[in-house]
Amino acid sequence: MDGAARTVGEYRLVRSLGRGGFGEVFLGETGDGARAAVKLLHASWAGDADMRRRFAAEVEQARRVSGFCIAGILDADPEAEQPWIATEYIEGPTLQASVVEEGPRSGDELQRLAVSTATALAAIHAAGVVHRDLKPDNIMLAADGPRVIDFGIARAVESTSVTASGVVGTIGYMAPEQLEGLRLTSAVDLFSWGSVMVFAATGHEAFPGPTQASRVARVLSGEPETADVPAPLAAAVRACLDKDPRQRPDAPALLDHLVTGRPLPTAGGPAVAYTAATRVEGAPAIPATRTHTRLETAPPPVEQAVEPSVEPPATDGGTRAPLTQGAYAGAGPGSAPPGEAPPYHFAGIRFTRVGALAAAMQEHWPAAVAVFGDAAELAALGSWIVGDVGDTTIDRALFRRQVRDVNLAVASFVAQARPDLPPVFRGHDASVPGLRKLFHDPRPLLTGAPMANELILLARPAVLRVMASHGTGDAAELRSLAGSLDAAERAGTAFHQELVRNLVGWRDVPARVDPALILTFLLDPALVVAPEPGIPRAEGDWIAVLWSRVEGATGAERAGYAATVYGALPTVTRLARQRAEWREREQSTRSEYARLEATVRTQKSYGTAKTCSLWIGGTSFFVGTVSGAADMPLMAALGWLTGLVAGMAFVILVVMDHSAHGDSIARARRVRHLESLPHLLPELRSGLQRMDADLARAHRIGGGSGSTAR
């Protein structure tokens, strides 16, 4: 869409500022020059009634938050053909861009950032809103302090934790429970805050990894890298990065700790969660204060039956299967039949057989995740399976170790108990045809749409191998896909590491090898096409050079290399823009040098002319005076007249010189600047030569010629 040719409300859309999964943000200007950030819901979403409702809710939520900590709303029209919202335009870089370009924060600057962002979270949560995508790109460093932006996926307390199309958030800044699709509270924003502070203080993510899959695994089960976070802040950061949301401080407690230095309150009790009806779960009858609450953004659990006669879902187009047959065999009302184990209750149904329970858990995945994500519930389930039922088919490790990857645990349980069922993961058909349907379009992965994170959770070799254990007709192909995904990730990561080792401009660039994109390419090799370059010419040069590595590969390596190139697009764009800026600076410096050189030359000419006129004037007056004393009137008159003309010329030259070149301080400053430019030009030329050398080395790497000179 050409933003410059459009007008929304009173705003003329000047240029695009960014694009995400829900919409695109433009710089808008009114007739009087006032600026705003205008967000338009994607045209593909505009016809979706549910998305329109979400967009309207976003406007109302953002209006409830105090404007001092976010970009305030100026105008909005959720009912427009293409809904839009205009917010305050904030001059300044994002925290992400600032840290990349200027380096990590430290000292008072880091402390101010921590306090300001914690204040913003306290205000956001006080308005009954959970942001759910706090990250460095969503923090603007305005002149009057940091501002939290992009409420595009923020949700009010009564909304769900998962959108209609998948898990929402940004890998690397999402809390474990957010990745797992568990019940969410405002504690997810505190986890994101801790991750943001690690990045701000160190320049790297709290949970780094070479691939998306490894980063997901590290968030779920690994420890954060906080060693380089300054001591005064490190304790708060570690508290916020606790895997258990109940152990994290809330925003007011965090803010109090940062401002006063008082210890963070000892956590341990269950987080208070408000439902849509503001009913407090797991809390005493006395209303809790806001300081000790968590705002719920998860849906209520699967409805629990209060009567013992609940039937299972229909399985044959509306006709309900008998409780003793089919997938739910062994599930039903009443007491267990003689000789059978006592019942286990799940989703409002009584189960007496493990296989029937596994089938129900596959169908009611969120409720199953809640069981496996709660240590007490998991222990009760293990006790029933091992002690009451005496089942010997399920791996006991599922119940005897701390579960780090809850979704994978549910999938393993279902696959072990019911290998005859079709492979399903988080409600998605995980057969090969089902995967092809899910991964048919790479655009959600490239734009950051909510479905992208859902696909990343599925696109893991361990998940594919568990799905293959269902023993369906495509089990061998699923195992092959898992192996290819492993190999492709390794190849793509090695390609990226080769670039980082050999190219100066790629130092410390994190790998963005997206396993979901790899799986998309593996399932349909026809989708492996080079990305379209942007405006800077050098961007196309970089893409062509890197893509040559893809063209020279086949199979899993080709998919891995292609995903690496797509993951490197932010770096390519940055390098291309940097080269264009440096080239422009070199040209402007050359022009400035030529202009200053001519100006200084003119200054010197004026100086010479003034000196000459002053000398001539002085000499002429002297000659006139001597001639008058010698009674030579004609000679004296000529001398005095010449001196007068020379004096007038001197005055005129002084006025002209001052008018053209300023006072002596300005002229001296101009001369010093001219003398400094010859030192700057070699630095610019050297920088451009390093960029050209990087591109040449990348060409050799892309051609597959192996390591190059370091």
Side-chain angles (χ1 to χ4, degrees), residues 190-469:
L190 276 300
F191 188 94
S192 299
W193 179 89
S195 300
V196 167
M197 287 302 106
V198 172
F199 175 78
T202 67
H204 63 71
E205 291 185 358
F207 301 93
T211 65
Q212 293 278 39
S214 64
R215 292 161 70 201
V216 168
R218 187 159 184 177
V219 170
L220 293 174
S221 59
E223 294 301 317
E225 290 190 2
T226 60
D228 295 330
V229 178
L233 187 61
V237 167
R238 284 193 291 269
C240 289
L241 293 178
D242 198 292
K243 305 295 184 190
D244 186 349
R246 296 171 298 182
Q247 301 296 324
R248 299 173 205 148
D250 58 16
L254 172 65
L255 181 59
D256 180 72
H257 167 75
L258 293 173
V259 173
T260 68
R262 282 192 284 264
L264 289 166
T266 303
V272 178
Y274 290 117
T275 65
T278 67
R279 174 176 56 85
V280 178
E281 298 180 356
I286 300 174
T289 63
R290 185 176 297 278
T291 306
H292 300 93
T293 62
R294 291 285 188 266
L295 304 176
E296 179 193 342
T297 65
V302 175
E303 184 179 354
Q304 299 298 308
V306 294
E307 297 294 333
S309 57
V310 176
E311 293 182 347
T315 59
D316 55 357
T319 303
R320 294 192 180 276
L323 294 174
T324 56
Q325 298 178 6
Y328 281 10
S335 302
E340 290 196 353
Y344 177 85
H345 292 80
F346 174 77
I349 305 171
R350 296 168 180 261
F351 292 89
T352 59
R353 296 178 186 173
V354 175
L357 174 62
M361 284 190 164
Q362 187 186 67
E363 183 169 337
H364 297 292
W365 197 280
V369 163
V371 171
F372 277 79
D374 186 288
E377 290 289 339
L378 184 61
L381 174 62
S383 176
W384 179 74
I385 290 175
V386 176
D388 295 336
V389 178
D391 179 271
T392 58
T393 63
I394 307 299
D395 183 0
R396 300 300 191 263
L398 284 175
F399 313 112
R400 293 174 178 169
R401 297 175 185 165
Q402 183 178 4
V403 175
R404 294 294 192 184
D405 191 331
V406 183
N407 285 286
L408 192 59
V410 172
S412 299
F413 171 72
V414 173
Q416 291 176 42
R418 292 296 302 274
D420 59 304
L421 292 175
V424 172
F425 185 79
R426 289 177 60 87
H428 301 296
D429 178 1
S431 65
V432 174
L435 292 175
R436 286 201 174 98
K437 185 178 294 185
L438 276 172
F439 290 84
H440 75 285
D441 184 0
R443 284 176 297 180
L445 301 169
L446 302 177
T447 62
M451 190 62 183
N453 290 335
E454 191 78 10
L455 297 179
I456 288 172
L457 292 178
L458 179 52
R460 294 183 284 167
V463 172
L464 296 179
R465 291 189 177 99
V466 170
M467 295 298 101
S469 64

Side-chain angles (χ1 to χ4, degrees), residues 141-236:
L141 302 181
D144 58 352
R147 304 282 191 91
V148 174
I149 64 169
D150 196 356
F151 280 70
I153 58 173
R155 289 292 173 263
V157 64
E158 67 272 12
S159 301
T160 61
S161 64
V162 180
T163 68
S165 54
V167 175
V168 174
T170 300
I171 301 296
Y173 298 93
M174 293 170 69
E177 68 271 22
Q178 201 169 0
L179 282 168
E180 292 287 10
L182 297 173
R183 293 172 67 85
L184 300 188
T185 69
S186 55
V188 299
D189 288 345
L190 276 300
F191 188 94
S192 299
W193 179 89
S195 300
V196 167
M197 287 302 106
V198 172
F199 175 78
T202 67
H204 63 71
E205 291 185 358
F207 301 93
T211 65
Q212 293 278 39
S214 64
R215 292 161 70 201
V216 168
R218 187 159 184 177
V219 170
L220 293 174
S221 59
E223 294 301 317
E225 290 190 2
T226 60
D228 295 330
V229 178
L233 187 61

